[in-house]
Amino acid sequence: MNNTMTRSAYVFAALLLSITTASAAEMLTNKDGMTLYVFDKDKAGVSSCYDDCAVKWPANVGIEGDALTEGWTLAKRTDGTMQLAVDGKPTYLFLDDIKKGDKAGDGVGGVWHIIER
């Protein structure tokens, strides 16, 4: 299997396994089990979190050519990196989440939310 196929298979498997059960609801996580968030100020497929915002809320990045499951796309950031988006919404991690299952960013400023399924 070549590197592209191996990487694509890994990303596909990671996305399939990215739903983690969280108290009463399911929340999406990245391949490492860290909680994913959306930002109310983003527009469909366009991130508005840069500079200081991006330090505290790093983009959940992907690579062009990755095999993505239904509902997942890539959104191009101003620096050229690709950010994974679900249902058109760019996804982020939260700097203060330390371990799997942490969701300290949920509700911050009334504009950051975990992604529930």
Side-chain angles (χ1 to χ4, degrees):
M1 193 179 278
N2 67 35
N3 286 343
T4 301
M5 289 175 57
T6 302
R7 185 179 69 226
S8 293
Y10 177 78
V11 169
F12 181 73
L15 287 173
L16 285 177
L17 298 173
S18 69
I19 298 177
T20 302
T21 301
S23 62
E26 292 179 337
M27 67 183 179
L28 294 182
T29 63
N30 72 357
K31 63 180 175 30
D32 298 322
M34 299 304 291
T35 304
L36 293 175
Y37 298 86
V38 291
F39 186 36
D40 287 347
K41 295 182 180 182
D42 285 347
K43 294 188 168 119
V46 179
S47 173
S48 59
C49 182
Y50 291 95
D51 303 319
D52 291 339
C53 176
V55 171
K56 191 151 191 115
W57 299 93
N60 181 34
V61 296
I63 299 171
E64 201 162 349
D66 283 344
L68 303 174
T69 58
E70 185 177 340
W72 288 89
T73 56
L74 290 170
K76 192 170 193 172
R77 295 181 57 79
T78 58
D79 65 1
T81 60
M82 302 303 284
Q83 183 171 3
L84 287 162
V86 63
D87 299 330
K89 298 174 186 175
T91 60
Y92 303 86
L93 301 163
F94 184 50
L95 188 64
D96 292 344
D97 284 350
I98 306 301
K99 64 185 181 321
K100 294 177 183 180
D102 284 354
K103 52 182 180 177
D106 193 29
V108 169
V111 294
W112 290 97
H113 310 283
I114 61 171
I115 307 164
E116 294 181 341
R117 286 283 192 211

